[in-house]
Structure formats: structure tokens, C-alpha cells
């Protein structure tokens, strides 16, 4: 269990003959309380910032995964389009070759 500034403030010590100067001890404890309170507040602030940064990190990791998936889908679509274009170009080339062969055959027949 973590001490609170109030715990430090409320702590009482017994006194003995030739003990410490009570005013000095109380002044020192007051300074400890102030410093401790500042430390606790800074700690809570850092925890809060850490939670915010963790949420942002999760968001950006999720976005990264989504973008990576989109890139994969786009690459697959581009590959399919390239294959389709190559196939269509090959078919068009074959048809052009057939037409050219027919034209040559017709021209050869006419020349004979």
C-alpha cells in the first residue's frame, strides 16, 4: 500500500528525552509531504499520458494493418488486371496474325 501525503502528515512519533527537535521534524515532514504530493501527481499524469499514447498506438497499429491489407488487395487486383491485359493482348495479336496471314494468302492467290 502506498502512503498518501495525508498519512505522512498524520503520522505521530513518540517523544523521548533528548529526542529530535519536533519543529525541525515537522518542517522536514511538511517538505516531504509537498514533494511526495508533487511526485504522486506527476505519476498520475504520466499514467494518464501513457494510457492515451497506448490508445493512439493501438489505433495506428490497427490503421497500419488495414493499410497493409488494402495494399495486398490492390496488388492482387493489379496482378489480375495485368494478367487479363496480357491475355487480351495475346488474343489480339493472334487475331491480327490470322488476319495478316489471310491477307497474304488472298494476295498470293490473286497474284497467281
Amino acid at each position: 500500500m502506498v502512503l498518501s501525503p495525508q498519512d505522512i502528515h498524520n503520522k505521530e512519533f513518540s517523544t523521548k528525552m533528548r529526542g529530535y527537535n519536533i519543529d525541525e521534524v515537522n518542517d522536514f515532514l511538511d517538505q516531504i509531504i509537498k514533494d511526495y504530493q508533487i511526485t504522486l501527481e506527476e505519476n498520475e499524469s504520466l499514467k494518464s499520458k501513457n494510457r492515451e499514447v497506448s490508445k493512439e498506438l493501438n489505433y495506428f497499429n490497427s490503421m497500419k494493418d488495414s493499410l497493409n491489407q488494402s495494399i495486398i488487395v490492390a496488388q492482387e487486383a493489379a496482378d489480375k488486371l495485368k494478367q487479363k491485359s496480357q491475355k487480351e493482348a495475346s488474343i489480339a495479336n493472334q487475331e491480327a496474325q490470322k488476319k495478316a496471314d489471310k491477307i497474304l494468302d488472298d494476295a498470293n492467290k490473286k497474284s497467281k
Side-chain angles (χ1 to χ4, degrees), residues 6-57:
Q6 193 65 30
D7 293 333
I8 296 170
H9 183 271
N10 292 336
K11 177 67 177 171
E12 300 215 3
F13 298 94
S14 59
T15 55
K16 290 188 175 183
M17 188 171 243
R18 296 184 170 215
Y20 292 107
N21 180 320
I22 293 175
D23 291 334
E24 286 179 10
V25 171
N26 285 336
D27 289 345
F28 186 70
L29 285 175
D30 287 343
Q31 184 60 46
I32 291 173
I33 291 168
K34 289 176 188 172
D35 292 349
Y36 191 67
Q37 183 64 39
I38 290 169
T39 301
L40 288 175
E41 290 169 0
E42 287 176 349
N43 188 30
E44 191 55 42
S45 175
L46 290 172
K47 285 179 181 179
S48 177
K49 286 180 183 178
N50 188 22
R51 285 189 294 269
E52 290 174 21
V53 169
S54 291
K55 286 179 185 177
E56 288 179 9
L57 179 61

Side-chain angles (χ1 to χ4, degrees), residues 102-112:
K102 186 174 189 277
I103 291 171
L104 282 174
D105 282 346
D106 289 346
N108 282 336
K109 286 180 185 176
K110 284 186 181 180
S111 68
K112 288 184 182 180

Side-chain angles (χ1 to χ4, degrees), residues 84-101:
K84 182 179 176 184
S85 297
Q86 288 173 338
K87 186 176 180 180
E88 289 175 357
S90 177
I91 291 170
N93 191 20
Q94 289 173 358
E95 289 176 1
Q97 187 63 45
K98 285 180 185 178
K99 287 182 182 179
D101 288 345

